[in-house]
Amino acid sequence: MNILEKALEKALRSEGITPGEAREFAALPDSALCDILSVTDRVRRHHRGMEVNLCSIVNAKSGLCREDCSFCAQSAQYSTGAPAYPMDSAAALIGAAENAALNGAREFSIVTSGTRVEKEGDVAVLEAALAAMKERVGVERCASLGILRRGVLMRLKDAGLQSYHHNLETSRSFFPNICTTHAYGEDVEAVRTAKSLGLFVCSGGIFGLGETWDDRIELASTLDGLGVDSVPVNFLNPRPGTPLEHGSNLTPVECLKIIALLRLMLPAKDIVVCGGRGVNLRDLQPLIFAAGANGMMIGNYLTTPGRDAKDDLQMIKDLGLRPRGL
Ligand code: SF4
């Protein structure tokens, strides 16, 4: 039995491939793409059906971050020209959520730069925005606010937060190459805290940082071990002024293989393609679903524009898929 046959058999009984099998998968040549997609499409349909999760974000507090993540335009350590502003008002966040719902998003996430949100005034704004969204906006309420302290996360959950997003970004082994200002273990702990509070947890990473396939496999194993519910997948879009500004984009086929790897290692989870989709996948964007993704971000990313939400909705319809409702 070859690796794809083995992966399909395991995935259909909700079992992911092992790291050893994943290395065998990673070694498949680009010419095997159609064979890979025929398997991952079947696995996605088996576990996640024909519905696509659409999520949207607002950059609620931008720039001025004291961390040094080498891919990020929001670090204060680099001159990137990215917008820098303090926490938006609750009214602005609610307006952004309403707009996301109009664009067809099912999940809406409030995202802030920085290690964590901890100022009382900022937490109070988030509580007010979440409570109002719960009352009058038809979206699932998510937030990405860094390595949040448990007490703050509990307050936000009480106000209406349903999901928490915190990416591990890459493998523990490769992490020191992309961030030196905090430890990987702190990110893992943030994910554990959110899980322990019963929140739906989205945690994934960014690919194209110079990591190897072994790093990608290690990251997927860590996410599996943490029991995350959804895996956001970002591809590097090199930002001027960051240490990775001269990084080259991945090929579209490599991006599709990364999505496929995640689907085969975490067969029953949500896999959501987020930042860097357009510049890395170009005309192969519609193939993300055959590769195993069952969700994508629509609208703008944190510091770069996304394509028109209408084009994404049309793409989904043309593929015979449909946005997942609430
Ligand atoms: S990824 Fe987050 S923590 Fe890292 S520099 Fe950017 S805003 Fe700061």
Side-chain angles (χ1 to χ4, degrees):
M1 194 185 291
N2 70 34
I3 182 60
L4 289 175
E5 289 165 345
K6 199 188 297 178
L8 177 61
E9 197 183 276
K10 290 181 98 170
L12 294 181
R13 49 173 204 266
S14 302
E15 202 183 314
I17 54 174
T18 64
E21 290 162 343
R23 278 192 283 280
E24 216 182 309
F25 168 83
L28 291 172
D30 286 1
S31 57
L33 182 67
C34 289
D35 296 328
I36 293 170
L37 299 187
S38 72
V39 168
T40 48
D41 190 52
R42 198 165 152 204
V43 175
R44 189 210 80 242
R45 280 187 279 125
H46 178 79
H47 287 290
R48 312 310 299 163
M50 299 300 279
E51 293 189 326
V52 174
N53 287 358
L54 298 176
C55 60
S56 193
I57 58 172
V58 63
N59 193 359
K61 173 175 165 288
S62 183
L64 304 173
C65 179
R66 61 174 176 258
E67 305 292 335
D68 68 350
C69 306
S70 58
F71 55 85
C72 182
Q74 300 197 71
S75 169
Q77 307 202 21
Y78 317 132
S79 295
T80 65
Y85 51 83
M87 185 72 83
D88 269 341
S89 65
L93 300 181
I94 298 160
E98 286 167 340
N99 200 33
L102 282 176
N103 276 339
R106 177 179 181 276
E107 283 150 39
F108 174 75
S109 188
I110 302 171
V111 184
T112 54
S113 63
T115 314
R116 64 176 63 84
V117 170
E118 53 191 351
K119 280 190 202 153
E120 178 52 36
D122 290 349
V123 176
V125 164
L126 293 166
E127 284 180 312
L130 287 164
M133 283 163 55
K134 183 177 178 182
E135 201 178 292
R136 61 175 202 260
V137 189
V139 286
E140 282 203 1
R141 299 168 296 280
C142 179
S144 182
L145 311 168
I147 304 166
L148 222 50
R149 299 199 194 284
R150 186 179 182 86
V152 173
L153 199 49
M154 282 171 70
R155 279 176 62 184
L156 298 179
K157 188 183 176 207
D158 288 346
L161 186 69
Q162 296 167 291
S163 311
Y164 196 65
H165 167 276
H166 188 74
N167 280 341
L168 298 185
E169 310 301 7
T170 189
S171 68
R172 186 185 288 273
S173 309
F174 192 69
F175 188 75
N177 295 288
I178 62 151
C179 180
T180 64
T181 43
H182 71 267
Y184 196 76
E186 295 179 70
D187 293 313
V188 169
E189 211 38 53
V191 170
R192 285 210 178 103
T193 301
K195 280 293 294 181
S196 72
L197 290 176
L199 290 159
F200 182 93
V201 175
C202 307
S203 181
I206 176 164
F207 299 89
L209 306 173
E211 79 285 350
T212 62
W213 277 101
D214 278 350
D215 291 310
R216 294 164 187 168
I217 293 165
E218 186 185 328
L219 171 63
S221 293
T222 304
L223 296 170
D224 189 29
L226 287 168
V228 304
D229 302 289
S230 175
V231 181
V233 180
N234 298 276
F235 301 112
L236 179 71
N237 180 2
R239 297 289 81 211
T242 64
L244 291 178
E245 70 175 321
H246 300 302
S248 49
N249 291 123
L250 296 167
T251 66
V253 172
E254 191 164 11
C255 294
L256 293 170
K257 268 184 78 181
I258 290 168
I259 298 167
L261 172 84
L262 293 166
R263 175 54 69 206
L264 296 178
M265 288 189 76
L266 301 150
K269 302 294 184 184
D270 284 337
I271 295 174
V272 182
V273 178
C274 302
R277 167 162 59 96
V279 293
N280 283 275
L281 281 145
R282 299 189 286 281
D283 288 347
L284 298 199
Q285 286 187 67
L287 293 180
I288 61 172
F289 303 108
N294 67 305
M296 67 178 185
M297 186 180 287
I298 57 169
N300 291 334
Y301 306 118
L302 280 177
T303 60
T304 56
R307 70 173 183 172
D308 196 318
K310 283 196 202 79
D311 293 336
D312 281 334
L313 292 171
Q314 188 64 50
M315 176 176 80
I316 289 166
K317 193 172 169 202
D318 292 344
L319 287 164
L321 300 168
R322 56 185 179 276
R324 186 167 161 217
L326 280 176

PDB file of all heavy atoms in Angstrom, residues 65 67 69 71-72 74-75 113-114, ligand 1:
ATOM      1  N   CYS A  65       4.616  46.675  18.628  1.00  0.00           N
ATOM      2  CA  CYS A  65       4.794  45.457  19.420  1.00  0.00           C
ATOM      3  C   CYS A  65       6.247  45.297  19.828  1.00  0.00           C
ATOM      4  O   CYS A  65       7.154  45.496  19.035  1.00  0.00           O
ATOM      5  CB  CYS A  65       4.338  44.248  18.618  1.00  0.00           C
ATOM      6  SG  CYS A  65       4.553  42.712  19.533  1.00  0.00           S
ATOM      7  N   GLU A  67       7.702  42.499  20.629  1.00  0.00           N
ATOM      8  CA  GLU A  67       8.269  41.206  20.202  1.00  0.00           C
ATOM      9  C   GLU A  67       9.019  41.400  18.884  1.00  0.00           C
ATOM     10  O   GLU A  67       8.895  42.448  18.236  1.00  0.00           O
ATOM     11  CB  GLU A  67       7.147  40.173  20.032  1.00  0.00           C
ATOM     12  CG  GLU A  67       6.265  39.987  21.249  1.00  0.00           C
ATOM     13  CD  GLU A  67       6.977  39.340  22.440  1.00  0.00           C
ATOM     14  OE1 GLU A  67       7.973  38.623  22.219  1.00  0.00           O
ATOM     15  OE2 GLU A  67       6.549  39.575  23.586  1.00  0.00           O
ATOM     16  N   CYS A  69       9.124  39.044  16.100  1.00  0.00           N
ATOM     17  CA  CYS A  69       8.792  38.002  15.112  1.00  0.00           C
ATOM     18  C   CYS A  69       9.261  38.471  13.730  1.00  0.00           C
ATOM     19  O   CYS A  69       8.839  39.532  13.244  1.00  0.00           O
ATOM     20  CB  CYS A  69       7.296  37.715  15.110  1.00  0.00           C
ATOM     21  SG  CYS A  69       6.676  37.317  16.767  1.00  0.00           S
ATOM     22  N   PHE A  71       8.780  37.830  10.706  1.00  0.00           N
ATOM     23  CA  PHE A  71       7.899  37.950   9.544  1.00  0.00           C
ATOM     24  C   PHE A  71       6.925  39.119   9.683  1.00  0.00           C
ATOM     25  O   PHE A  71       6.188  39.427   8.753  1.00  0.00           O
ATOM     26  CB  PHE A  71       7.075  36.662   9.375  1.00  0.00           C
ATOM     27  CG  PHE A  71       6.303  36.295  10.631  1.00  0.00           C
ATOM     28  CD1 PHE A  71       5.056  36.849  10.884  1.00  0.00           C
ATOM     29  CD2 PHE A  71       6.830  35.418  11.563  1.00  0.00           C
ATOM     30  CE1 PHE A  71       4.359  36.540  12.044  1.00  0.00           C
ATOM     31  CE2 PHE A  71       6.143  35.100  12.725  1.00  0.00           C
ATOM     32  CZ  PHE A  71       4.910  35.664  12.969  1.00  0.00           C
ATOM     33  N   CYS A  72       6.921  39.773  10.850  1.00  0.00           N
ATOM     34  CA  CYS A  72       5.781  40.634  11.184  1.00  0.00           C
ATOM     35  C   CYS A  72       6.073  42.121  11.015  1.00  0.00           C
ATOM     36  O   CYS A  72       7.056  42.641  11.560  1.00  0.00           O
ATOM     37  CB  CYS A  72       5.345  40.349  12.618  1.00  0.00           C
ATOM     38  SG  CYS A  72       3.914  41.335  13.100  1.00  0.00           S
ATOM     39  N   GLN A  74       4.421  44.407  12.313  1.00  0.00           N
ATOM     40  CA  GLN A  74       3.934  45.181  13.458  1.00  0.00           C
ATOM     41  C   GLN A  74       4.928  45.267  14.617  1.00  0.00           C
ATOM     42  O   GLN A  74       4.644  45.891  15.634  1.00  0.00           O
ATOM     43  CB  GLN A  74       2.620  44.583  13.955  1.00  0.00           C
ATOM     44  CG  GLN A  74       1.552  44.588  12.878  1.00  0.00           C
ATOM     45  CD  GLN A  74       0.187  44.387  13.460  1.00  0.00           C
ATOM     46  OE1 GLN A  74      -0.351  45.267  14.116  1.00  0.00           O
ATOM     47  NE2 GLN A  74      -0.365  43.218  13.240  1.00  0.00           N
ATOM     48  N   SER A  75       6.089  44.652  14.454  1.00  0.00           N
ATOM     49  CA  SER A  75       7.109  44.741  15.496  1.00  0.00           C
ATOM     50  C   SER A  75       7.702  46.148  15.506  1.00  0.00           C
ATOM     51  O   SER A  75       8.077  46.684  14.457  1.00  0.00           O
ATOM     52  CB  SER A  75       8.211  43.713  15.232  1.00  0.00           C
ATOM     53  OG  SER A  75       9.307  43.982  16.081  1.00  0.00           O
ATOM     54  N   SER A 113      -2.133  43.647  18.167  1.00  0.00           N
ATOM     55  CA  SER A 113      -0.689  43.423  18.175  1.00  0.00           C
ATOM     56  C   SER A 113      -0.212  43.425  19.627  1.00  0.00           C
ATOM     57  O   SER A 113      -0.932  43.870  20.533  1.00  0.00           O
ATOM     58  CB  SER A 113       0.011  44.534  17.393  1.00  0.00           C
ATOM     59  OG  SER A 113      -0.218  45.763  18.043  1.00  0.00           O
ATOM     60  N   GLY A 114       1.026  42.953  19.818  1.00  0.00           N
ATOM     61  CA  GLY A 114       1.613  43.005  21.161  1.00  0.00           C
ATOM     62  C   GLY A 114       1.643  41.651  21.823  1.00  0.00           C
ATOM     63  O   GLY A 114       0.987  40.711  21.372  1.00  0.00           O
TER      64      GLY A 114
HETATM   65  S1  SF4 B   1       3.391  38.415  15.377  1.00  0.00           S
HETATM   66 FE1  SF4 B   1       2.313  39.348  17.122  1.00  0.00          FE
HETATM   67  S2  SF4 B   1       3.789  39.156  18.811  1.00  0.00           S
HETATM   68 FE2  SF4 B   1       4.990  38.859  16.917  1.00  0.00          FE
HETATM   69  S3  SF4 B   1       5.763  40.938  16.374  1.00  0.00           S
HETATM   70 FE3  SF4 B   1       3.799  40.641  15.299  1.00  0.00          FE
HETATM   71  S4  SF4 B   1       2.248  41.558  16.643  1.00  0.00           S
HETATM   72 FE4  SF4 B   1       4.106  41.204  17.865  1.00  0.00          FE
END
